[in-house]
Amino acid sequence: LTPEAYAYGAVFVRDRLRREQKLNFERAVNETRIALTASPLISAGSDKQADLSSRIAAVNSLVEQLKSRRIDGRVVLEMTANTSQIPGSFVVENNDELYIPPRSLVVGVYGMVNSSANFRYTPGLTVRDYLKLAGGFTKIADKKHIFVVRANGTIEGGRSVAGQPALPGDLIFVPINSERGLFWSR
């Protein structure tokens, strides 16, 4: 690898795995459709006078959104963020793809923050530090369920993620707090 390569952000895609994931995902979407149709979208504070057809339309909308997701067959390679080589402990198959990006210089902060943006990566800063750089949380932010999509494809979340060090290429996301009222829960 060249000195500019960011091995931690490597994207390894296996075609066979993508096909398997697609079949399993389609099966899960169909099971979700059946479950939600049989028990239409019951949630906290649901309106008892809600029209059944609007509930079915909501189920169909959700299922269509799920169906439109792209299944890529990515395999997460286990390595540390500062590694300079790809692990050699896997077998390459026909149609596999390996992309090694250049070292990322930014950390993205998005969602329910006051100023979503990409910020220059600075070693030693934590997820909390980047949230402060983004102006902190909005009123409808869900501070308990912040998550970080790492450059290697893994996702970390929970209460302790804010204190963890940010890594080059991280995407920090603050979701909306759906418990703030009936409108948001719908």
Side-chain angles (χ1 to χ4, degrees):
L1 301 178
T2 67
E4 294 81 28
Y6 190 39
Y8 183 69
V11 178
F12 178 62
V13 177
R14 174 151 287 161
D15 188 55
R16 177 182 52 82
L17 182 59
R18 182 191 53 77
R19 291 189 308 267
E20 290 173 11
Q21 287 176 342
K22 187 174 181 186
L23 284 173
N24 291 332
F25 186 74
E26 288 171 358
R27 190 174 304 132
V29 167
N30 288 333
E31 289 172 5
T32 300
R33 177 191 302 234
I34 291 168
L36 290 176
T37 303
S39 175
L41 295 176
I42 298 170
S43 65
S46 64
D47 185 358
K48 293 178 182 171
Q49 298 176 356
D51 181 30
L52 181 60
S53 63
S54 66
R55 289 182 180 195
I56 298 299
V59 168
N60 288 335
S61 174
L62 172 65
V63 169
E64 289 308 312
Q65 287 177 40
L66 289 172
K67 281 182 163 182
S68 69
R69 293 212 171 164
R70 192 176 138 262
I71 306 299
D72 62 6
R74 183 174 183 176
V75 177
V76 174
L77 302 175
E78 293 187 31
M79 61 184 108
T80 62
N82 56 6
T83 190
S84 60
Q85 58 186 351
I86 299 297
S89 60
F90 60 90
V91 177
V92 178
E93 297 178 4
N94 287 339
N95 300 319
D96 282 354
E97 296 176 19
L98 178 62
Y99 170 71
I100 308 196
R103 180 166 293 280
S104 180
L105 300 176
V106 297
V107 172
V109 183
Y110 296 96
M112 299 296 105
V113 292
N114 287 308
S115 181
S116 293
N118 287 319
F119 298 94
R120 184 168 176 77
Y121 171 73
T122 304
L125 291 185
T126 64
V127 169
R128 182 179 294 110
D129 296 328
Y130 283 100
L131 289 168
K132 287 178 185 174
L133 288 172
F137 302 107
T138 63
K139 290 181 182 179
I140 57 173
D142 186 346
K143 300 172 190 173
K144 296 178 186 174
H145 296 101
I146 298 165
F147 63 92
V148 179
V149 180
R150 300 287 186 189
N152 72 344
T154 59
I155 298 177
E156 297 181 23
R159 295 180 185 268
S160 64
V161 75
Q164 293 181 9
L167 302 173
D170 278 357
L171 173 64
I172 302 166
F173 189 79
V174 179
I176 193 166
N177 186 345
S178 63
E179 296 174 0
R180 291 188 54 93
L182 183 59
F183 174 77
W184 292 115
S185 66
R186 286 187 183 176

